[in-house]
Amino acid sequence: MKLREPMPELNGATEWLNGQVSREDLVGDKPTLIHFWSISCHLCKEAMPAVNEFRDQYSNKLNVLAVHMPRSEDDLNIDEIKKVAAEHDITQSIFVDSEHKLTDALENQYVPAYYVFDREGKLRHFQAGGSGMKMLEKRVNRVLGELESSAE
């Protein structure tokens, strides 16, 4: 997916955990962070506390959506997904992408992966890997800064 492309529709979830959201729920009001993770991904679990801290710190300014992207048959166990989500305090909506519908729509190949969309739903930043929270925070703050300056 290229920068400035619109957020795809959130279609194809095999299940939603913590409540379902639509593209319409996420676009128009505030920026959105979509993060991909998997129960078999060690880096994802290591990054989760930082993602949760981020989610809580920006709770009034940023939508956060988790996408569970399976990497093997073992990752399709919904009870295990629920268990790991609870263990890692993933309280935001989780799009369970067992058929890779949203994964394909975003052309994502990685976990963890992070997509930052501005409030109009245009992709502004993408990164993958476990070490990128500082850069992610910078990008989100840039998008939030645009929001605040346009409100003045």
Side-chain angles (χ1 to χ4, degrees), residues 4-69:
R4 304 277 180 192
E5 281 189 24
M7 181 190 300
E9 292 294 333
L10 305 178
N11 295 334
T14 47
E15 192 155 339
W16 282 91
L17 307 178
N18 305 330
Q20 182 171 346
V21 294
S22 69
R23 184 182 187 279
E24 287 69 40
D25 296 328
L26 301 178
V27 174
D29 186 25
K30 48 192 174 185
T32 298
L33 167 65
I34 297 180
H35 70 97
F36 282 79
W37 68 288
S38 183
I39 57 175
S40 64
C41 167
H42 182 68
L43 275 177
C44 298
K45 292 172 186 172
E46 280 183 1
M48 210 52 79
V51 172
N52 291 342
E53 191 178 307
F54 202 73
R55 172 199 68 211
D56 297 344
Q57 183 183 346
Y58 292 96
S59 61
N60 299 329
K61 300 178 182 176
L62 184 71
N63 297 309
V64 178
L65 174 64
V67 179
H68 182 268
M69 176 184 138

Side-chain angles (χ1 to χ4, degrees), residues 131-149:
S131 61
M133 290 313 287
K134 289 269 180 278
M135 179 57 85
L136 187 65
E137 192 163 2
K138 223 153 112 179
R139 295 291 194 235
V140 166
N141 278 319
R142 180 177 295 162
V143 172
L144 290 171
E146 290 168 11
L147 192 63
E148 284 159 13
S149 63

Side-chain angles (χ1 to χ4, degrees), residues 70-89:
R71 302 188 305 168
S72 70
E73 287 294 313
D74 293 342
D75 289 352
L76 298 174
N77 180 334
I78 192 68
D79 293 328
E80 190 62 22
I81 296 168
K82 289 175 181 174
K83 185 177 139 226
V84 172
E87 284 169 2
H88 289 83
D89 193 31

Side-chain angles (χ1 to χ4, degrees), residues 113-136:
Y114 306 92
Y115 291 80
V116 178
F117 292 88
D118 63 21
R119 69 176 175 177
E120 289 156 11
K122 291 189 176 74
L123 181 65
R124 299 298 297 279
H125 178 66
F126 161 76
Q127 73 186 48
S131 61
M133 290 313 287
K134 289 269 180 278
M135 179 57 85
L136 187 65

